[in-house]
Amino acid sequence: MLERTVHLSSCSLGARSADLDHALGRMAADMTLGAGAWERFSRQVDRARARFARLIGADADRVAVVPNASVGAYQVASTLGRRRGRHRIVSSTAEFPSISHVWLAQGRDGTEVVHAPCAGKPVDATADGYGDDGAGDWAGDCVADYAALIDERTRLVSVPLVTYAEGRVMPVAEIAAIAHAAGAPVFVDAYQAVGVRPVRVDELGCDFLVAGTMKYLLGLPGLAFLYVRAPGSLGLDPVLTGWFGRVDPFAFDVSLLDFPAAATRFETGTPAVPAAYAANAGFDLVEPLDLTEVRDHVLALTDLAAGGLRERGEQVVLPPRRTRGAHLCLFDPEPESLARFLAEHGVSVSPRGRYVRISCHFYNDAGDVAALCAAVSAYRSKHGSCGGVRVHS
C-alpha cells in the first residue's frame, strides 16, 4: 500500500499491510475445515486478547473482546450500579462523540452527564498551541476543569487519553487521582494512543480502558478490547450479554445465566472473526517496536510537517510535545474538499470538523511529509489561500 499511497490517516484507519492480507487468506483457508474452523477462530480471538493485555501491562483475564468502543463503554455504564447519591458521569468536551452518547443515554435512569470544557481553550493556529505561546497551561486547566465537577455525586469519570480532534494527550493520571479521592472509577478511551505510544494502565491509574484495532494497531474495524481492573466487583451483572459471556460458553444451557469473574463476563455473541485474524497480523507488526521510539519518531515528523506547512502560509494546530499525540490539524474552510484533492494526488488524510487531521506512524518518513506539503501547495494553487483566518479550538 505504501508504494502507492502516502498514508497519513492512521488516526482513522491504519495502513493495509501484506501481513493483514495473508491473515485473511489464512482465515479463508481455515474455513475449509468446516466445524473444525471454530477452534482456530477461538484461538485467534484469545491470542488477540492476550497480546492487547501485554501491550497495556494487564493480565489477559482483565480484558474483554467487544465489537467496538461504544459497546465497551455501555458495558461499563450499565454495570456500575447506582450507589446512593452517585448519579453523575463526568466527561469532557474533548470526548469522542460515540462515547459521550453512551453516557448521555444513561439519562433515562436519572443519570446526569456533565462535560469539563477541556476542548474549549483558545489556540492560535500560527503558534505551537496552547501552552507554548504563553497562553497558559492547557493540561493544568483541564485538570482544574475536571476537579471542579468531580465530587461525592460522581459515579464515573471519563477521559480520552488522546483527543480525537486535535490530538492532545490528556492528563489522565492527575484526573484519575482526583476521581479516586472522591470514590469514583475512571474510564479511558485510548483508541488514539494504543499502538503509537506506550500505554500502561497502572501508570494511568484507570479502572477501565477501551481501544480498538483499526487505527494504530493496524487491523480492521469490528474488534475492540475493554480492560477492567476488577471485573467481578462491579455493582451489577451485564444486561447486554451472550454465550461468550458465560462461565462455560459450550455448556449450552438455555436456563443458566452465570457470569465468570474474569472480564469475559462483558462479552456477548460471536466476535468478528476476520477482525481477530487481522488484529493478530497488526500485533505482529507492532509488538517488535519500541513504542517510546515510535512516539519520538512521530513527534519529529509532526514537527517537520507543521514547519513545512507554515512556511507555505498554512495554519496548523500543533499542541506542545508534552501534550501531543500522533496527529496535527491543518485548518481549511472546506476540509472535505482538501482531503479529496489530496487523496486524488496519492496522500491520505482524515478530515474532522474544521480540520484535516494529519497522522503519522512508524512507517512514515520525511518523504511523506514532503509529498503532503507539495500536494497542499498544489491545492492552494488551484483553489486559493485559506484566507489567513485565526483559528480557535
Side-chain angles (χ1 to χ4, degrees), residues 13-313:
L13 184 67
R16 173 184 167 188
S17 67
D19 303 68
L20 186 149
D21 287 1
H22 294 157
L24 296 180
R26 287 196 302 274
M27 184 208 143
D30 288 346
M31 288 184 69
T32 64
L33 300 175
W38 287 104
E39 181 179 351
R40 297 195 180 186
F41 293 172
S42 295
R43 194 181 308 152
Q44 289 287 332
V45 174
D46 291 340
R47 187 172 180 230
R49 181 205 324 279
R51 297 173 90 175
F52 179 81
R54 286 198 300 272
L55 194 65
I56 63 171
D59 296 328
D61 62 1
R62 297 184 180 186
V63 173
V65 175
V66 293
N68 51 56
S70 301
V71 170
Y74 174 77
Q75 294 296 65
V76 171
S78 64
T79 55
L80 279 179
R82 289 193 62 182
R83 289 175 288 166
R84 180 173 297 178
R86 298 272 182 177
H87 61 271
R88 170 177 284 189
I89 295 177
V90 178
S91 181
S92 81
T93 52
E95 195 87 75
F96 186 66
S98 191
I99 302 296
S100 185
H101 296 165
V102 173
W103 308 148
L104 291 171
Q106 308 312 306
R108 67 186 63 186
D109 70 354
T111 298
E112 174 194 22
V113 180
V114 293
H115 293 90
C118 290
K121 307 302 182 184
V123 171
D124 184 347
T126 63
D128 278 340
Y130 190 77
D132 274 6
D133 58 359
D137 178 6
W138 177 83
D141 286 353
C142 193
V143 172
D145 289 340
Y146 267 91
L149 298 173
I150 297 170
D151 55 26
E152 69 281 355
R153 296 170 293 175
T154 305
R155 185 194 310 173
L156 178 69
V157 175
S158 179
V159 194
L161 179 50
V162 176
T163 65
Y164 80 98
E166 293 181 350
R168 295 182 181 275
V169 179
M170 296 280 279
V172 173
E174 293 89 339
I175 294 169
I178 295 169
H180 290 157
V186 176
F187 177 96
V188 171
D189 173 7
Y191 222 131
Q192 292 289 346
V194 172
V196 75
R197 64 185 297 120
V199 175
R200 310 296 285 184
V201 289
D202 285 345
E203 293 176 4
L204 295 174
C206 59
D207 302 279
F208 312 98
L209 181 143
V210 70
T213 58
M214 69 179 177
K215 302 183 191 295
Y216 298 104
L217 288 179
L218 308 179
L220 291 176
L223 199 75
F225 305 97
L226 172 65
Y227 160 79
V228 183
R229 183 179 298 279
S233 65
L234 302 184
L236 300 171
D237 289 329
V239 176
L240 178 62
T241 190
W243 68 310
F244 280 99
R246 303 285 69 76
V247 172
D248 177 9
F250 297 97
F252 299 113
D253 186 341
V254 297
S255 63
L256 178 63
L257 185 66
D258 57 359
F259 291 91
T264 51
R265 67 191 287 111
F266 299 103
E267 296 185 2
T268 56
T270 304
V273 172
Y277 277 78
N280 283 304
F283 282 124
D284 287 343
L285 295 170
V286 171
E287 279 182 337
L289 302 173
D290 181 329
L291 291 179
T292 298
E293 292 182 359
V294 171
R295 179 196 60 199
D296 293 344
H297 171 70
V298 165
L299 289 174
L301 288 179
T302 51
D303 280 336
L304 184 65
L309 291 168
R310 285 172 176 160
E311 287 175 1
R312 290 164 171 77

